[in-house]
Amino acid sequence: MEPVTRHPLIAGNWKMHGSQAFAESLSGAIAQSLKKPRAEIALIPPFPYLTAVAAAIRAHQAPIDLGAQDVSAHAEGAHTGEVSGAMLSDCGCRFVLVGHSERRQDHGETSAQVAQKFLAAQQAGLIPIVCVGETLAERDAGQTDKVVLSQLEAVLEVAGVEAFEHAVVAYEPVWAIGTGKTATPAQAQAVHASIRARIGANSDTIAGQVRVIYGGSVKPDNALEILSCDDIDGGLIGGASLSAESFVEICQAVG
Ligand code: PEP
């Protein structure tokens, strides 16, 4: 696999929203409008709608990738309710989120488990988008870098820095997800630079290539200022990806 470069990535995480009809019409409208996007685009619908979204993308011949919201750390077997990386690949996925803060919070996923999911994703040929981010209490306590870098460290420890040639890091401050509060461009840039510097401590080359994308209440009216920061290589978009109009507008904000 060719190493991933810093071509911007905009990924729409639909979370647990919609229906089959909604997924078809939203992905169809996005695919229709993004025939020649300036960024790499990924749609990340709930598991049951992956194949419908894949079909809509194919029907419009749009250069849009498919992603999933989670993956099992196991390759196969007696793990009721889980979905393996091979199954996601089979459904046409290129990307998968690991360690989204809603998984860490709602399901108690630890950084060690997230690292195992990261490995499982890569073993299945998927590109993991590993999510890291601090809570408001951690930010207020001046622990942002410590928290974010320890989440990253867990993956570096088990996967090694070379694994980041085929991975994306998403910095998502927990206090900014779905709250309408966004990190200022300076706040986001500072954390992105710390993430890149930590990767650079192991490999300058990979630090220069890895995409570090930002998520947390990105909307059409704040996308440009956030996405133009030096170390921000795209966005992970939640709420605003549920409207074709606002998602497409964000995708077009990439220079
Ligand atoms: C997310 O779901 O990862 C996210 C960033 O959501 P929102 O854009 O709604 O804050």
Side-chain angles (χ1 to χ4, degrees):
M1 212 195 285
E2 285 295 303
V4 171
T5 65
R6 285 180 65 186
H7 184 51
L9 168 68
I10 306 289
N13 173 19
W14 296 359
K15 310 195 190 196
M16 198 174 72
H17 290 291
S19 62
Q20 174 101 354
F22 175 82
E24 282 168 5
S25 99
L26 178 58
S27 52
I30 291 171
Q32 173 81 37
S33 307
L34 290 175
K35 293 276 171 72
K36 288 191 178 162
R38 295 190 204 149
E40 183 171 359
I41 311 295
L43 297 181
I44 307 183
F47 290 138
Y49 306 138
L50 283 169
T51 49
V53 172
I57 293 169
R58 258 197 320 273
H60 289 277
Q61 299 185 327
I64 295 179
D65 287 314
L66 193 63
Q69 297 178 12
D70 188 31
V71 63
S72 175
H74 305 283
E76 69 173 347
H79 303 289
T80 302
E82 297 201 31
V83 174
S84 73
M87 292 169 183
L88 298 177
S89 287
D90 201 21
C91 290
C93 287
R94 173 167 155 82
F95 293 101
V96 64
L97 301 180
V98 295
H100 191 280
S101 67
E102 288 152 16
R103 299 293 313 173
R104 293 181 193 259
Q105 285 186 332
D106 298 357
H107 301 273
E109 279 185 17
T110 63
S111 292
Q113 287 168 325
V114 171
Q116 292 305 316
K117 290 185 172 200
F118 179 103
L119 285 180
Q122 287 197 330
Q123 275 155 12
L126 298 165
I127 296 173
I129 301 176
V130 57
C131 304
V132 295
E134 82 290 0
T135 63
L136 190 55
E138 289 163 343
R139 172 163 284 269
D140 288 345
Q143 295 187 323
T144 299
D145 270 16
K146 183 169 168 246
V147 169
V148 166
L149 297 183
S150 81
Q151 292 169 343
L152 183 65
E153 198 67 46
V155 180
L156 278 167
E157 250 170 46
V158 304
V161 73
E162 295 75 21
F164 284 80
E165 282 191 335
H166 305 292
V168 175
V169 181
Y171 168 55
E172 296 209 295
V174 178
W175 50 271
I177 299 178
T179 58
K181 291 183 195 152
T182 320
T184 63
Q187 284 173 324
Q189 165 58 30
V191 180
H192 281 237
S194 298
I195 291 170
R196 201 176 300 285
R198 174 61 196 88
I199 294 172
N202 290 24
S203 164
D204 268 343
T205 311
I206 294 171
Q209 290 170 349
V210 68
R211 286 180 292 189
V212 185
I213 63 175
Y214 171 83
S217 296
V218 177
K219 309 278 181 233
D221 58 0
N222 61 22
L224 182 60
E225 58 170 7
I226 292 175
L227 299 177
S228 358
C229 294
D230 282 355
D231 284 296
I232 300 186
D233 307 309
L236 180 53
I237 318 299
S241 71
L242 293 170
S243 143
E245 201 185 347
S246 61
F247 184 67
V248 168
E249 220 179 300
I250 291 168
C251 294
Q252 284 164 344
V254 175

